[in-house]
Amino acid sequence: MNPPLARLCTALGYCFQTPEWLEEALTHRSASARNNERLEFLGDALLNLIMAEYLFQHYPKASEGELSRLRASLVKGETLAELARSLKLGDWLRLGQGELKSGGYRRESILSDALEAIIGAVYLDSDFGACRDWVLHLYQDGLMRLSSASELKDPKTRLQEYLQADQRPLPIYNVLEIRGEPHAQSFTVECVVAKLRTTAIGSSRRKAEQESARLMLEQLA
């Protein structure tokens, strides 16, 4: 294994017997026809299974819905990207010139996909037990801080439940403005409840809606 990849293995806490798996996991489709998309598919399935098994064992009283919300908080792109940044994974990615120029090594989707691909690579390089142990070690801080299932409800869900309990009309979300290039857009969204309005800006429509819902909850509380 070449020295740079050996340093990455040290950061990952896993030494590959077949370094080619790691090289493939780090390769974005913009850089090569042999890229990490298939490994990402495998890693996504493995991560969901590993977290489902962990939560099933450690939260015996949680309902199916609560387990699903807990798992979703662990496997979502934002969480994966945060882990990838902590590993400085962006420094190791192999990207095409277009993605390099547009800052793809910082993009949440590219970072999260690469980490899922590495999970798939670890599995193929070892076995399910070793992969599960490595993933749980990678997530150990997050698992220790894991919130209760009720706290994981997103602001839009909490706002809807709040209004339904009070028998009030449900919120309406309107996109007021979209700015920026396709790879770096910002969305301005308003949340309307009767005569109340809140406005928020986010890097996606979903994030802007969630933030406007959170602001609405603060007004209604």
Side-chain angles (χ1 to χ4, degrees), residues 76-87:
K76 64 183 180 181
E78 184 179 345
T79 301
L80 284 160
E82 184 179 340
L83 284 170
R85 291 189 189 99
S86 72
L87 296 166

Side-chain angles (χ1 to χ4, degrees), residues 7 11 19 31 33 35 79 92 106 118 120 129 141 153 165-166 169 174 178 188 193 206 218:
R7 291 199 300 274
N35 54 63
T79 301
W92 306 93
R106 295 191 301 265
I118 290 176
D141 290 342
K153 290 183 181 179
D166 207 27
N174 300 313
I178 302 175
T188 301
V193 176
R206 182 185 65 83
E218 288 185 354

Side-chain angles (χ1 to χ4, degrees), residues 42-59 67 70-72 74-75 80 115-116 118-124 126-140 143 146:
L42 179 60
D44 175 70
L46 287 163
L47 179 60
N48 274 275
L49 174 58
I50 290 166
M51 290 306 165
E53 180 189 55
Y54 175 89
L55 294 169
F56 184 85
Q57 293 175 343
H58 288 78
Y59 291 81
L67 291 171
L70 289 166
R71 182 180 60 182
L74 294 167
V75 305
L80 284 160
L115 188 54
E116 285 183 331
I118 290 176
I119 293 171
V122 170
Y123 167 74
L124 292 174
S126 55
D127 55 36
F128 179 73
C131 180
R132 176 181 56 204
D133 292 345
W134 177 74
V135 168
L136 293 178
H137 176 74
L138 183 68
Y139 269 82
Q140 61 180 349
L143 292 172
L146 197 60

